[in-house]
Amino acid sequence: MKLYVRAPFSDKGLDELRRMFDTVIYEPWTVTGQRYYEDEMLEYLLKEQPDALITELDRVTEKVLKGYDRLQFIGDCRGTPANIQVDACTAAGVPILCTPGRNTQAVAEMVVGLILAFYRRLLPSVQWVEDGKWVAGTTPYYLWMGNELQGKKVGFVGFGRISRVVAKILDGFDCDISFYDPFISGDQGHYHKRTLEEVFSESDIVSLHLPVLDTTRGMITEPLLRSMKKDALFVNAARSALVDCKALRSVLEEEKIGGAILDVLDSEPPTPEDASIGKLPNVLLTPHTCGATYEVTDHQSDILVDGIRKWMAGEQLETVVYNREVLKQ
């Protein structure tokens, strides 16, 4: 079998793949600098003629699958295959192996780190020193005084893998944790289930951890944002499409809330208009890097190699197969 790998993979993982496949072509998008859309993806599949594909960003659509029908499976280095038309894969009998939890720890640590950085005004104070403004007569102790995270009320919108790891970290700060998640029936230990409105109105920090679905797109509305405490912090390390971004900009410009931490924007790379929100003094903007650690590549490689090995051996797959009905055909 011939495998075409378009996602970053660890050396250990590649060695494992080379033991499992006759030929492994490794051309990750991080090296080529290209994300293949359906025409490019089809072109390269026809050129390389692989039996299986591992991807992360490339678009695999009905057009691709009809134009190239030799794929026995697709490995997607994502928790959910947002870049792949799942229905088309199901119709074509092509299983999708995903990597749930690959960046859970990375995102969770970064979210907590960003909250601490925002509360302690870390970035502007460092810039102040670098600009040579720490001179005789200044009082940085009072000028850059911030807030402590300990004891804050933190509300999560969505209480899946990442939220739970963030909550576990925040336990060390004695934070009062609540969450909104329609798929969870009640409190989870000392983490309290609340309505969406209660999470926004009662929390000192609101953090989003949701996929973009028809039911979640635009669910964070202006009334919810305006119901937040005046000193509350809004955190979005999930997807920009979850939020009414015009309303968010308005409440930030009007200082109706304390501020926002954003790792995602509507357009990436951003338009000048989208990027300008990062210039607001109460916004900490990062370039979609919450999940960017070297360890994530190791995690996704380990998860996918294990899933492929089990699939090739005909074993039952519970956690990595996205369209399980394919396995029943």
Side-chain angles (χ1 to χ4, degrees), residues 228-302:
M228 295 176 71
K229 298 177 180 179
K230 183 172 176 56
D231 59 353
L233 177 59
F234 177 79
V235 182
N236 187 3
R239 290 292 184 269
S240 183
L242 300 168
V243 184
D244 181 340
C245 293
K246 289 184 178 179
L248 177 60
R249 180 184 287 268
S250 294
V251 298
L252 290 167
E253 289 176 340
E254 297 168 19
E255 298 184 351
K256 295 295 184 180
I257 64 175
I261 294 170
L262 306 174
D263 189 49
V264 288
L265 292 172
D266 280 344
S267 57
E268 297 178 6
T271 63
E273 181 180 1
D274 282 346
S276 66
I277 195 170
K279 296 181 180 180
L280 296 176
N282 54 354
V283 173
L284 176 53
L285 174 64
T286 51
H288 205 149
T289 52
C290 278
T293 67
Y294 294 107
E295 289 83 358
V296 166
T297 299
D298 296 334
H299 299 329
Q300 68 190 27
S301 301
D302 291 345

Side-chain angles (χ1 to χ4, degrees), residues 27-212:
E27 294 179 350
W29 67 268
T30 49
V31 174
T32 65
Q34 289 182 288
R35 173 183 182 176
Y36 295 152
Y37 291 89
E38 60 178 8
D39 290 337
E40 294 89 352
M41 189 75 262
L42 178 56
E43 176 185 346
Y44 277 83
L45 289 174
L46 290 169
K47 174 186 174 183
E48 299 294 347
Q49 295 286 305
D51 299 290
L53 169 70
I54 293 177
T55 182
E56 183 178 17
L57 295 181
D58 306 313
R59 286 285 290 158
V60 181
T61 63
E62 182 180 13
K63 178 179 179 180
V64 172
L65 295 169
K66 286 185 174 180
Y68 186 80
D69 61 0
R70 287 186 53 186
L71 291 178
Q72 296 187 32
F73 72 83
I74 299 172
D76 200 25
C77 291
R78 287 170 170 254
T80 55
N83 57 317
I84 296 174
Q85 285 187 353
V86 176
D87 291 345
C89 287
T90 302
V94 179
I96 306 168
L97 309 184
C98 294
T99 56
R102 66 181 183 127
N103 64 1
T104 296
Q105 190 67 30
V107 175
E109 290 183 9
M110 184 80 159
V111 165
V112 176
L114 289 171
I115 293 171
L116 290 168
F118 184 93
Y119 268 179
R120 298 305 297 272
R121 307 175 69 188
L122 182 62
L123 270 63
S125 66
V126 169
Q127 189 63 54
W128 182 78
V129 175
E130 291 180 354
D131 291 343
K133 295 181 178 180
W134 190 3
V135 296
T138 59
T139 54
Y141 183 90
Y142 294 103
L143 180 61
W144 297 110
M145 188 171 288
N147 294 100
E148 295 177 5
L149 179 53
Q150 184 174 11
K152 294 295 188 291
K153 293 183 177 180
V154 182
F156 294 100
V157 182
F159 205 57
R161 288 186 182 90
I162 294 174
S163 297
R164 290 171 187 262
V165 175
V166 176
K168 184 178 179 181
I169 296 171
L170 293 179
D171 281 341
F173 294 87
D174 293 325
C175 290
D176 181 354
I177 307 294
S178 64
F179 67 90
Y180 166 77
D181 193 316
F183 297 102
I184 298 176
S185 59
D187 291 353
Q188 300 293 293
H190 60 285
Y191 305 141
H192 305 296
K193 182 172 182 178
R194 296 285 186 265
T195 66
L196 185 59
E197 291 75 16
E198 287 171 337
V199 165
F200 271 82
S201 64
E202 297 174 2
S203 301
D204 300 307
I205 301 167
V206 175
S207 190
L208 305 189
H209 299 280
L210 296 169
V212 177

Side-chain angles (χ1 to χ4, degrees), residues 1-5 14 17-18 21-26:
M1 290 182 68
K2 184 177 184 180
L3 175 66
Y4 187 29
V5 182
L14 286 172
L17 293 176
R18 291 181 179 117
F21 294 86
D22 299 308
T23 304
V24 175
I25 301 172
Y26 183 53

